[in-house]
Amino acid sequence: MYISGIGRTKFGPLPQTLPELAYEAMYRAVDDSDIDITDIDAIFVSNFLGGPLNGQLHLNSIIASLLPGMNVPIAHVETACASSSVAFKQALYALGQLDHVMVVGAEKMTGPGVLGTTEAIAMAADRAIDQLNGLIFPANYALIAQQYMGHYGVGHEVLEQVSFINHRNARLNPLAHFYHKDVTLEAIRRSPVISSPLNLFDCSPVSDGAAAVVLSRVRHGDRDVEVLSSQYMADSTSLTQRSNLTSFNAARLAAKKAYAESGTKPGDIDLVEVHDCFTISELIALEDLGFCAPGKAPLYVSTGRILPDGELPVNTDGGLKADGHPIGATGLAQIYEIVAQLRGEAGARQVAGAAIGMTHNVGGIGGTAAVTILEGSRC
Amino acid sequence: MYISGIGRTKFGPLPQTLPELAYEAMYRAVDDSDIDITDIDAIFVSNFLGGPLNGQLHLNSIIASLLPGMNVPIAHVETACASSSVAFKQALYALGQLDHVMVVGAEKMTGPGVLGTTEAIAMAADRAIDQLNGLIFPANYALIAQQYMGHYGVGHEVLEQVSFINHRNARLNPLAHFYHKDVTLEAIRRSPVISSPLNLFDCSPVSDGAAAVVLSRVRHGDRDVEVLSSQYMADSTSLTQRSNLTSFNAARLAAKKAYAESGTKPGDIDLVEVHDCFTISELIALEDLGFCAPGKAPLYVSTGRILPDGELPVNTDGGLKADGHPIGATGLAQIYEIVAQLRGEAGARQVAGAAIGMTHNVGGIGGTAAVTILEGSRC
């Protein structure tokens, strides 16, 4: 199965509404493909906070309203921050019976919401165990960071490097939330504490945005990118139900299945987009995906391997940290970046010779994890 | 593809939480099947209002928390009141690659919610066009009823009959919301206006509940029910975007595809569960599914054809009106009833010789519609 078209909006605080964002991404994805919109057999919509923030559930029907006369099945998938990767997988399942499907992910997080943003995002956590006790997401990831840093004897400096590299990458991505922002290591070091040991620059921003892809059962041309595997896995919601906070079992299992299905191994991956909702997550991702052993990600980062010209370029678009994190669109934005790179169309941030790429998208605190492996047609 | 197990809770105001409801339905479905829970390859979760009412999104991960050690992919699907039928279809798509999947739908609507129930349910309607102008669901369906009754010259009496028949059917269904309530035609006639011409007994209740099914790629035994077809379709959200309010185009298209795929026609259907969120919807459903011509449903009802011993028994479980409407579970509860009937296990409400059954599940005001056709193994 193949990705025939990709589209996305700018990420950041935007004037558009949720449906307008989705429309723009879909338009661009169809325009980018050589497939007519009337040949799309089904659409899968990803969105996390439409209810609590925008007062809009049933987004599949809203998408139908944007496409009068289309008359296709449209479904809405929600799995917190991994929503769009899981929607992507449902589209692949459907491609077993259909020829062309579109997946669109959108999120409108800035501006007045029905509820507050922090309260809304917290709905990805267990209501009874965590939410009602005030354990919001930065605090969850701070607990993880505390355990990781304590267990492996790691200081905050490596998290600062992760943040710095993501922000520098975003300076080459005109669609990134922080494209225009020159972030220095000094500014990162001086940023205020959010939830110790995580500071402001350890946290991904609140962004608006949308991304979409058109998928085809058969190859259409040289710009098509093949989906070698796409796997997702669910795990318990609360950290209180985990024996180890320094790794996400769902991500490990999804990666294992994706490597097995695609016949690849970590050494075959030329570049990867990982779910750096907080800087600590990027370290854990590198280990969960098998790029380095447990506890070795700090060394991997500090020796420059994740740089754009390193052994394994990571988050060339700036990642969630600096490209932005419009939740329902994030997994598809990762796929957008890998497809652009594998096509050789990534412009100033092109990774030379990229043939196989991977995305890693996490929901909640590892309650859902999705791993996708893609291969370009150029090799 | 086959339904190997079914389970559901009682519907109505219940003491259980949302996860507890889901767990009970899953337990019963697995228990009813001859499949071990460790053989389930993936789970699909349907829920509509977990965010706005229960403060709980990311329900797929909550389900994983209920099943420690399962380690399977779990996805959450939301398409308003059609959520569980659309989740059911995603499960069928996945069965192209998997052996056994479970679908569970749950909704917790009573008790204190993050937001009010009316405000939450309204999120299935277009925020910009309808919600913010106060067009809540009873008002939407009242507009439909006004147009239908005016156009075809129909009085309120036929709606009363629909309500009466559904309530009488529910008296044979111990799990129904209104199992214990003896509702007379007199009580229905005297019920207060909600949104003219719809009175209290024209409206389905606010219910808690859950339902689940286990699906298998191959037949396991004589109790298995075959899925001949399951189709869904999306349409515009707001009535302002429709040229005709007396029919739902999405339902017509889904039914057309389901008949075509299954090789059946309306005359082949032995019984049907239709989405009577309001009594007027039942009339429209009978026409959209091809059981009678436009405008002829009132005659179809008044001549007794939809009675349990009629030509086409409709909503033998009491329908949304009297079995209840825990939104995320409703489509699966319809499937539960048809499976029970096709197996000959429907007890006091068993329809003699039922071989082929159908479900019709609608989201919003026809913004999503799903039609499923099932066949028993006894024939």
Side-chain angles (χ1 to χ4, degrees):
Chain A
M1 295 173 182
Y2 299 87
I3 299 175
S4 310
I6 56 173
R8 61 168 277 190
T9 68
K10 168 110 178 122
F11 285 0
L14 302 174
Q16 293 100 310
T17 64
L18 180 61
E20 287 168 346
L21 290 166
Y23 188 88
E24 183 180 330
M26 289 193 293
Y27 181 92
R28 290 179 189 276
V30 172
D31 192 47
D32 176 65
S33 77
D34 60 358
I35 292 160
D36 195 273
I37 190 162
T38 57
D39 290 327
I40 303 280
D41 300 312
I43 300 175
F44 293 82
V45 186
S46 154
N47 172 258
F48 174 41
L49 296 173
L53 285 187
N54 317 116
Q56 186 66 71
L57 290 167
H58 202 197
L59 195 61
N60 60 306
S61 174
I62 297 291
I63 297 296
S65 299
L66 300 175
L67 305 167
M70 274 281 286
N71 292 327
V72 293
I74 310 181
H76 165 220
V77 175
E78 183 275 313
T79 59
C81 305
S83 295
S84 59
S85 294
V86 173
F88 181 81
K89 176 65 174 184
Q90 307 317 317
L92 292 173
Y93 279 136
L95 267 190
Q97 294 178 35
L98 306 173
D99 290 327
H100 304 293
V101 298
M102 180 152 57
V103 192
V104 57
E107 205 76 55
K108 175 67 183 176
M109 302 181 73
T110 72
V114 175
L115 298 169
T117 312
T118 299
E119 182 182 1
I121 294 173
M123 291 183 183
D126 190 294
R127 180 76 171 172
I129 304 175
D130 292 337
Q131 280 184 54
L132 295 178
N133 294 302
L135 193 61
I136 60 175
F137 271 87
N140 268 303
Y141 277 93
L143 289 172
I144 290 170
Q146 283 174 17
Q147 188 169 107
Y148 187 96
M149 293 161 78
H151 188 68
Y152 295 119
V154 177
H156 192 262
E157 297 73 20
V158 70
L159 301 183
E160 293 159 12
Q161 279 186 281
V162 167
S163 184
F164 181 70
I165 294 166
N166 277 307
H167 272 286
R168 202 169 51 188
N169 288 350
R171 295 282 284 149
L172 297 176
N173 176 9
L175 296 177
H177 187 143
F178 290 122
Y179 169 61
H180 296 89
K181 197 173 178 78
D182 200 12
V183 175
T184 64
L185 253 179
E186 184 64 16
I188 291 170
R189 281 188 194 125
R190 287 189 181 175
S191 72
V193 172
I194 297 296
S195 186
S196 179
L198 301 179
N199 300 342
L200 180 64
F201 275 99
D202 289 309
C203 310
S204 56
V206 170
S207 318
D208 304 327
V213 301
V214 175
L215 288 160
S216 302
R217 184 154 52 174
V218 299
R219 189 189 291 274
H220 280 258
D222 285 350
R223 291 173 76 245
D224 280 7
V225 164
E226 185 172 1
V227 183
L228 297 185
S229 184
S230 175
Q231 299 289 343
Y232 69 98
M233 196 59 64
D235 194 6
S236 57
T237 315
S238 172
L239 294 185
T240 62
Q241 298 162 323
R242 311 271 179 85
S243 55
N244 170 17
L245 307 191
T246 64
S247 171
F248 290 148
N249 196 40
R252 287 193 172 268
L253 291 171
K256 189 176 171 188
K257 286 180 74 175
Y259 283 128
E261 188 184 39
S262 64
T264 62
K265 54 187 187 309
D268 297 327
I269 307 298
D270 295 315
L271 79 169
V272 62
E273 291 278 305
V274 303
H275 192 91
D276 61 318
C277 51
F278 296 91
T279 48
I280 184 67
S281 324
E282 185 159 328
L283 300 183
I284 290 174
L286 292 170
E287 298 170 9
D288 285 346
L289 296 172
F291 296 118
C292 46
K296 299 299 182 193
L299 183 67
Y300 199 82
V301 168
S302 63
T303 51
R305 301 202 194 175
I306 70 166
L307 295 174
D309 59 353
E311 185 179 306
L312 179 78
V314 175
N315 292 359
T316 46
D317 58 3
L320 282 60
K321 176 68 206 79
D323 184 23
H325 187 20
I327 298 177
T330 295
L332 286 175
Q334 296 178 319
I335 289 170
Y336 175 102
E337 175 68 7
I338 297 296
V339 170
Q341 291 280 359
L342 297 181
R343 283 176 175 174
E345 297 176 358
R349 61 186 192 282
Q350 181 64 46
V351 171
I356 298 182
M358 172 185 267
T359 68
H360 160 272
N361 188 200
V362 170
I365 321 124
T368 308
V371 173
T372 297
I373 300 177
L374 305 172
E375 182 172 35
S377 304
R378 297 184 303 156
C379 46
Chain B
M1 295 174 181
Y2 299 87
I3 299 175
S4 311
I6 57 173
R8 63 168 276 191
T9 68
K10 167 110 177 125
F11 285 179
L14 302 173
Q16 293 101 311
T17 64
L18 180 61
E20 287 166 347
L21 291 166
Y23 188 88
E24 182 179 332
M26 289 192 293
Y27 182 93
R28 290 179 189 278
V30 171
D31 191 49
D32 176 65
S33 77
D34 59 359
I35 291 162
D36 195 272
I37 189 160
T38 58
D39 290 327
I40 303 280
D41 299 312
I43 301 175
F44 293 82
V45 185
S46 155
N47 171 258
F48 174 41
L49 296 173
L53 286 187
N54 317 115
Q56 188 65 71
L57 291 168
H58 201 195
L59 196 61
N60 59 307
S61 174
I62 297 290
I63 298 296
S65 300
L66 300 175
L67 304 167
M70 273 282 285
N71 293 325
V72 294
I74 311 181
H76 165 220
V77 174
E78 182 275 311
T79 59
C81 305
S83 295
S84 59
S85 294
V86 173
F88 181 81
K89 176 65 173 183
Q90 307 316 318
L92 293 173
Y93 278 137
L95 267 190
Q97 294 178 35
L98 307 173
D99 290 327
H100 303 293
V101 298
M102 180 153 57
V103 193
V104 57
E107 204 78 54
K108 176 68 185 176
M109 302 182 71
T110 71
V114 176
L115 298 170
T117 313
T118 299
E119 181 183 2
I121 294 173
M123 290 184 184
D126 190 295
R127 180 76 172 173
I129 303 174
D130 292 338
Q131 280 184 53
L132 296 178
N133 293 303
L135 193 61
I136 60 175
F137 271 87
N140 267 305
Y141 278 93
L143 289 173
I144 290 171
Q146 283 173 17
Q147 188 169 107
Y148 187 97
M149 293 161 78
H151 188 70
Y152 295 119
V154 177
H156 192 262
E157 298 73 21
V158 69
L159 300 184
E160 293 159 11
Q161 280 186 281
V162 167
S163 183
F164 180 71
I165 294 166
N166 278 306
H167 272 286
R168 201 169 52 189
N169 288 349
R171 296 283 283 147
L172 297 176
N173 176 10
L175 297 176
H177 188 143
F178 291 121
Y179 169 60
H180 296 92
K181 196 173 178 76
D182 200 12
V183 175
T184 63
L185 252 180
E186 183 66 15
I188 291 169
R189 277 186 198 126
R190 286 189 183 177
S191 71
V193 173
I194 298 295
S195 186
S196 178
L198 301 179
N199 300 341
L200 181 63
F201 275 98
D202 289 309
C203 310
S204 55
V206 169
S207 317
D208 305 327
V213 301
V214 175
L215 288 160
S216 303
R217 185 154 50 173
V218 299
R219 189 189 293 272
H220 281 257
D222 284 350
R223 290 173 76 245
D224 281 6
V225 164
E226 184 172 2
V227 182
L228 298 184
S229 183
S230 173
Q231 299 289 344
Y232 70 99
M233 196 59 66
D235 194 6
S236 56
T237 316
S238 173
L239 294 184
T240 61
Q241 297 161 323
R242 311 271 178 85
S243 56
N244 170 18
L245 308 191
T246 64
S247 171
F248 291 147
N249 196 41
R252 286 192 174 268
L253 291 171
K256 190 177 170 188
K257 285 179 75 175
Y259 283 128
E261 187 184 38
S262 64
T264 62
K265 54 186 189 307
D268 298 325
I269 308 298
D270 295 315
L271 80 167
V272 63
E273 290 279 305
V274 303
H275 192 91
D276 60 318
C277 52
F278 297 90
T279 48
I280 183 66
S281 323
E282 183 158 329
L283 300 183
I284 290 175
L286 293 170
E287 298 171 10
D288 286 346
L289 296 173
F291 296 118
C292 48
K296 299 299 182 194
L299 183 67
Y300 199 84
V301 168
S302 63
T303 51
R305 300 202 195 175
I306 70 166
L307 295 173
D309 59 353
E311 183 179 309
L312 179 77
V314 175
N315 292 358
T316 46
D317 58 4
L320 282 61
K321 175 69 207 80
D323 183 22
H325 186 18
I327 299 178
T330 295
L332 286 174
Q334 295 177 319
I335 289 170
Y336 175 102
E337 175 67 9
I338 296 296
V339 170
Q341 292 280 358
L342 297 181
R343 282 176 176 176
E345 298 176 358
R349 60 187 193 282
Q350 182 63 46
V351 171
I356 298 181
M358 172 185 266
T359 69
H360 160 274
N361 187 201
V362 170
I365 322 124
T368 307
V371 173
T372 296
I373 301 177
L374 304 172
E375 183 172 35
S377 305
R378 298 184 302 156
C379 46

